Amino acid sequence: MKVLVINCGSSSLKYRLIETDTKTVICKGLCERIGIGGGHFKYEVAGSDKGMDKNVEFPDHNTAVDTLIKALTDPEVGVVSDVSEIAAVGHRIVHGGDRFTEATLITPEVMKIIEECSDLAPLHNPANIQGIKSCQKVMPGTAMVGAFDTAFHQTLPEEAYLYGIPYEYYEKYGIRKFGFHGMSHEYVSKETASLMGRDIKDTKIIVCHLGNGASITAVKGGKSIDTSMGYTPLDGIIMGTRCGSLDPEIVHALAEKTGKSLEDVMHILNFESGVYGLSGYMSSDMRDIRDAYAKGDKAAIRAYDTYIYVIVKYIGSYIAVLGGADAITFTAGIGENSSSLRRHVCERLEGLGVQLDEKANSEGKGGRMISTEASKIKVFAIPTDEEMSIALSTVEVLSNRG
Ligand code: ADP
């Protein structure tokens, strides 16, 4: 069936129309600069040079969805003759709190709960809600499904999701680890098990999702049992501009020493830290850091080495938590593309029995094993596909509905 996947941000809407029976993308694109003027619309039909790339003003998300539907049904470049050919819309929703353990059909009650979760993701959930409402307006008869970044991590045991703060704050305010990138971790762990030719139920896999945002997850028997992001996506490993885990007293110290407000300090930790901050504001893009590193640039070496160190530390702790690991999988922009980063991480894991196959690592393409057969823990590089994951979950929700 045809599923339209929507990933709505506050000023953008990314979309993909997927034929789920064959797991193929029919078309994809995005609407940019919604509500801020200077809007732009991109639409590409897969496997052809048909498409659109034009400036369109999008005063709001409704106009963006309207433009998209017109393109999908356009007599010349369209891919469906009527919008009714689209069986469902799968929406990416960043925060489902602890209310959603899987993708869910959107009903008025579900919308209310997603709205309640906005507190936890004030930048993301309101935009996701807007995306749902706009689609409901333009496609009133079509089933809407929400797929949550947090849902896959709802299997975390209490010992993994609690913080060492008074329990009453968990009870009163729900302060706990949630974890993110769930769709990616779920999809990539399934792909890993399938490449190993094993039933995922019998596997222990560590997924390293390394993009601008990054998180590492310990997956046991197909279920997330710990993950590096926490109450928010600021926690865990060092990222492009985010600091990752740190001593909370640092927030206090930075405010006191710089004279900045709490809000400004949080801005530093979210947008000026990570690889960007560590490199002396050189770049948050790993390609720039890697190139400067190769030239012996001290700031790049400092940022890169710290980044690798933290990844190794998380992997090591998850091997302990899992009681051993069958596989470590690298995914997302950096994890999929940077063979040198994978090598540098794996070299530091040699003591745990990791043996990289350098040819497969640097010359291979697509989802593949990049360790030797003899490696005690197998290593994989697998492209993530969050949109496909959302589309497949949407089909599952529809088929469960009967
Ligand atoms: P997000 O979705 O979180 O914005 P991505 O998964 O797209 O992030 O990853 C973006 C990161 O991937 C950037 O830091 C970019 O430098 C890095 N990246 C992309 N291609 C390469 C490459 N060939 N080598 C190293 N890093 C790469």
Side-chain angles (χ1 to χ4, degrees), residues 275-354:
V275 167
Y276 175 65
L278 270 170
S279 65
Y281 310 120
M282 178 189 296
S283 175
S284 64
D285 192 307
M286 196 46 82
R287 283 167 290 203
D288 300 336
I289 299 293
R290 181 200 55 195
D291 294 348
Y293 179 95
K295 290 185 191 131
D297 182 280
K298 280 210 175 78
I301 293 172
R302 176 177 66 221
Y304 185 81
D305 286 350
T306 312
Y307 183 67
I308 300 281
Y309 178 77
V310 175
I311 293 172
V312 168
K313 210 159 66 163
Y314 264 97
I315 293 176
S317 70
Y318 286 168
I319 292 174
V321 159
L322 286 164
D326 301 306
I328 298 167
T329 303
F330 292 92
T331 192
I334 302 169
E336 287 165 27
N337 296 305
S338 178
S339 57
S340 53
L341 172 124
R342 295 191 297 257
R343 184 171 65 250
H344 290 130
V345 170
C346 290
E347 272 169 5
R348 297 191 70 152
L349 295 170
E350 276 172 8
L352 294 169
V354 170

Side-chain angles (χ1 to χ4, degrees), residues 11-61:
S11 66
S12 71
L13 184 154
K14 292 189 199 135
Y15 65 88
R16 220 165 254 211
L17 183 66
I18 292 177
E19 175 50 70
T20 56
D21 297 344
T22 51
K23 294 191 188 174
T24 48
V25 175
I26 301 170
C27 66
K28 63 174 183 176
L30 78 162
C31 307
E32 286 176 295
R33 300 188 61 85
I34 301 171
I36 52 177
H40 193 84
F41 179 63
K42 261 196 196 148
Y43 169 79
E44 291 170 37
V45 178
S48 85
D49 51 12
K50 282 205 292 189
M52 291 183 186
D53 193 335
K54 58 179 185 180
N55 294 331
V56 184
E57 283 308 316
F58 298 123
D60 52 29
H61 286 78

